[in-house]
Amino acid sequence: MELYGYWRSSASYRVRIGLNFKRLNYQYRPVHLLRDGGQQHQQAYRQLNPNGLVPTLVDGKTVIHQSLAIMEYLDETYQGPLLLPGTAADRAQIRAMSLDLASELQPLINLRVQQYLSATLALDDEAKKAWLVHWFARAFASLELQLRDHGSTYCYGKQFSMADACLVAQVYSAERFAIDLTPYPRLQAIYAGLLELPWVAAAHPNKQVDAEN
Ligand SMILES: N[C@@H](CCC(=O)N[C@@H](CS)C(=O)NCC(=O)O)C(=O)O
């Protein structure tokens, strides 16, 4: 398999965690989101991912975009520990938490949105920071309540799941943007524990071949 990604892309980070968790080997193909005007916009890459976003997974003739679709594909195609374990109700809860992070929050803080805020709406750095703080606070306040009801070591139940991959990647982004995490003690505790897991540690942005630390 080949994974097209970018070291500090949260969506790529989620999938790296998922691949490592399932102990699947893959070739990592870096796509630099800033260099050359953004390599995600180049024609050759757009043929793999019409959205011009990372990640994209190539598995033989199968090409998949959207990190959550990729992780569900891995679960349904390859043996090993499940990213969506449990009953239908458990899996629905795991999907709901994952979507809260990957589909409600992350698009609002994505590079192309940040670029639009600056270039088209002419927002300055202070206004852009206020935008980030607002959307992170709404999403993380909701997540903190869900973790109170469903989480302990992990986001949901007693097993690692796709929701944990999403949490790690989104909290990493929050740290990058210097978001205050003190109102979310459960989130912080679960995040700290997850970072110790070997399949999470190996997926960290700083450990990727394209990292620019
Ligand atoms: N919903 C998509 C989001 C993908 C996405 O937003 N990727 C970002 C990096 S985290 C990206 O490629 N941004 C490039 C850009 O905005 O031009 C997924 O989960 O795969």
Side-chain angles (χ1 to χ4, degrees), residues 22-185:
K22 294 185 76 70
R23 300 184 209 104
L24 295 168
N25 291 325
Y26 65 97
Q27 296 290 320
Y28 183 61
R29 307 272 185 238
V31 178
H32 202 292
L33 297 186
L34 300 169
R35 197 172 292 155
D36 312 321
Q39 294 173 349
Q40 71 275 26
H41 304 303
Q42 291 175 352
Q43 186 65 22
Y45 183 70
R46 285 243 174 195
Q47 283 179 352
L48 293 175
N49 187 325
N51 292 336
L53 299 170
V54 291
T56 304
L57 184 84
V58 178
D59 185 13
K61 292 198 165 97
T62 303
V63 181
I64 312 173
H65 66 277
Q66 288 292 354
S67 58
L68 301 191
I70 293 169
M71 286 194 275
E72 295 224 19
Y73 167 81
L74 295 175
D75 249 14
E76 291 170 12
T77 309
Y78 293 100
Q79 302 212 325
L82 291 169
L83 288 159
L84 284 138
T87 64
D90 294 330
R91 294 196 300 278
Q93 297 287 1
I94 291 164
R95 285 192 189 95
M97 278 187 186
S98 302
L99 287 163
D100 282 350
L101 292 165
S103 296
E104 302 288 336
L105 173 60
Q106 189 266 341
L108 294 164
I109 61 167
N110 189 19
L111 175 64
R112 65 184 179 179
V113 172
Q114 297 294 311
Q115 289 171 335
Y116 188 86
L117 294 176
S118 311
T120 305
L121 301 184
L123 296 192
D124 61 16
D125 286 348
E126 194 185 337
K128 280 171 60 189
K129 177 73 196 247
W131 167 282
L132 290 171
V133 167
H134 175 78
W135 294 116
F136 266 110
R138 294 198 54 159
F140 280 0
S142 162
L143 186 62
E144 185 73 5
L145 291 176
Q146 296 180 65
L147 296 176
R148 183 192 63 193
D149 294 340
H150 299 298
S152 53
T153 306
Y154 303 108
C155 286
Y156 182 81
K158 295 189 166 55
Q159 281 172 273
F160 184 86
S161 74
M162 181 165 79
D164 296 299
C166 292
L167 179 138
V168 167
Q170 230 46 61
V171 179
Y172 167 79
S173 288
E175 288 178 331
R176 266 187 68 208
F177 293 122
I179 301 295
D180 178 17
L181 297 176
T182 50
Y184 321 112

